[in-house]
Amino acid sequence: MIRFIWMKSLRLVFLLVAISFISFLLLSHSPIDPVQAYIGADMMRVSPEQREQIAEYWGLNQPLLERYLHWGAAVLQGDLGTSMMYRLPVVEVIGERFANSIALMGVSWVLSGLIGFTAGVIAAMNKDTWVDKLIKWYCYTLASTPAFWLGLVLLIVFAVWLGWFPVGLGVPAGTLTENVTWGDRIYHMVLPALTLSIIGIASIALHTRQKLLDVLSSDYILFARARGERGLKLFWRHGLRGVALPAVTLQFTAFSELFGGAVLAEQVFSYPGLGQATVEAGLRGDVPLLLGIVLFSAVFVFSGNTAADLIYRAVDPRIREGRSV
């Protein structure tokens, strides 16, 4: 286990160095002018000399590698810089936005996992029936549906036409923070969470269906059927263990799709999470915030993959002992 943790930590370090350098390189050669993005609407009031002083203060005139090393040294000390849009430390902005996003992604992750797993089991237990065909058609349709398109459909139907849910935002507009209740937050989170949940069902349902079909065709299942076991009892005693673990690990490895979907869903519903902050940082040239979010999202996805590996190692001795499966 110590060797596993050591190797994972080493890979995370290499991953963060590679991602941060590539991101730094791309942003340095992008059309974004950090000085102009910082000045914003006061651009006409700032003289060329003052712009030059700002660039010199930030070290923008220095070589790329020197700037990267300077930024990396600050990151190692926990300083990701200051957001140009919010005029706050990047760490503080990411923490505040991620608190909203983690609630949204957590609810969606649980719902999509439970519904997808149940749908996959029902499809496999009723193979080649109309139920199986209906679930497969539903999953294939969802697998090719963009998250932003589905979000717009839900927004038009349930918020604009029916008026059951708010059009957007994370809390009621014009309400002070101390007056916002948990009910208000949940009410505004329903449609974004529903969008992410529906999108995430397809992969887990199709994977569970195929895995359960493989289990049901195995010799020990044939033996159990010969003993008279059928239906839910057969699945509960012999099939659940074989499909539950792959489904759980698949959900953990889906953190990257979850984060990508959250970026689109939060933008459609104007939900104040980390995804919306990512889009705003990209459009308005907030380089420090964009680099901070890139690093944070890499750690987030890596944590999901590591959790999946740990679960496999905990329940499968072949992986724990390094043997082939």
Side-chain angles (χ1 to χ4, degrees):
M1 179 58 75
I2 296 177
R3 183 175 180 275
F4 173 78
I5 296 175
W6 168 250
M7 292 302 295
K8 279 290 181 182
S9 302
L10 198 60
R11 289 175 183 171
L12 178 60
V13 170
F14 284 129
L15 176 68
L16 292 179
V17 171
I19 288 181
S20 62
F21 182 75
I22 294 173
S23 302
F24 201 91
L25 183 65
L26 292 175
L27 288 174
S28 299
H29 291 81
S30 70
I32 297 175
D33 184 353
V35 178
Q36 185 172 343
Y38 174 75
I39 296 172
D42 297 330
M43 183 174 58
M44 301 301 294
R45 301 178 184 176
V46 178
S47 64
E49 291 77 13
Q50 290 175 313
R51 290 172 59 95
E52 186 64 27
Q53 289 178 350
I54 294 174
E56 185 177 357
Y57 176 76
W58 283 349
L60 298 178
N61 298 326
Q62 298 174 357
L64 173 67
L65 185 59
E66 189 174 343
R67 280 187 285 146
Y68 175 74
L69 293 176
H70 180 73
W71 176 79
V75 170
L76 290 177
Q77 298 175 2
D79 181 13
L80 293 176
T82 303
S83 169
M84 297 175 182
M85 293 190 304
Y86 301 98
R87 301 292 195 268
L88 291 172
V90 169
V91 175
E92 187 175 331
V93 175
I94 291 177
E96 181 182 346
R97 291 304 188 103
F98 185 67
N100 294 329
S101 292
I102 193 61
L104 172 64
M105 291 190 289
V107 171
S108 307
W109 188 77
V110 172
L111 285 179
S112 63
L114 291 176
I115 298 174
F117 182 77
T118 304
V121 170
I122 293 175
M125 297 297 289
N126 298 277
K127 182 186 177 186
D128 295 334
T129 64
W130 68 270
V131 176
D132 181 30
K133 294 177 181 177
L134 179 64
I135 292 176
K136 284 197 297 182
W137 172 83
Y138 178 74
C139 291
Y140 287 137
T141 304
L142 287 180
S144 58
T145 302
F148 72 92
W149 183 85
L150 180 62
L152 288 174
V153 171
L154 295 179
L155 185 67
I156 293 173
V157 174
F158 293 102
V160 178
W161 291 352
L162 299 177
W164 291 353
F165 297 101
V167 175
L169 304 178
V171 296
T175 304
L176 297 176
T177 304
E178 56 267 24
N179 296 330
V180 177
T181 64
W182 281 104
D184 295 330
R185 297 182 186 278
I186 295 174
Y187 183 52
H188 282 73
M189 194 174 62
V190 170
L191 285 184
L194 193 60
T195 302
L196 289 179
S197 300
I198 293 176
I199 290 295
I201 288 173
S203 59
I204 191 72
L206 292 174
H207 181 272
T208 301
R209 176 188 177 277
Q210 186 59 46
K211 195 68 180 178
L212 185 55
L213 288 178
D214 295 339
V215 171
L216 293 177
S217 62
S218 59
D219 293 338
Y220 67 91
I221 291 292
L222 293 177
F223 179 73
R225 281 176 171 163
R227 295 170 53 190
E229 297 184 26
R230 294 286 188 278
L232 186 61
K233 180 182 178 182
L234 177 69
F235 168 72
W236 184 259
R237 295 187 62 180
H238 304 288
L240 178 62
R241 183 179 298 179
V243 296
L245 178 61
V248 171
T249 52
L250 180 65
Q251 274 294 88
F252 276 103
T253 56
F255 272 23
S256 57
E257 289 85 355
L258 185 66
F259 188 86
V263 172
L264 299 175
E266 290 176 6
Q267 191 64 19
V268 171
F269 293 98
S270 300
Y271 192 81
L274 198 59
Q276 191 190 41
T278 305
V279 176
E280 291 179 351
L283 293 176
R284 300 176 61 178
D286 193 341
V287 177
L289 181 58
L290 204 55
L291 288 172
I293 292 176
V294 167
L295 290 181
F296 184 81
S297 60
V299 174
F300 178 73
V301 174
F302 189 87
S303 301
N305 294 334
T306 303
D309 291 342
L310 286 173
I311 293 174
Y312 259 120
R313 290 176 63 85
V315 300
D316 194 332
R318 294 172 298 178
I319 297 178
R320 187 167 57 246
E321 295 170 4
R323 288 183 287 162
S324 60
V325 179

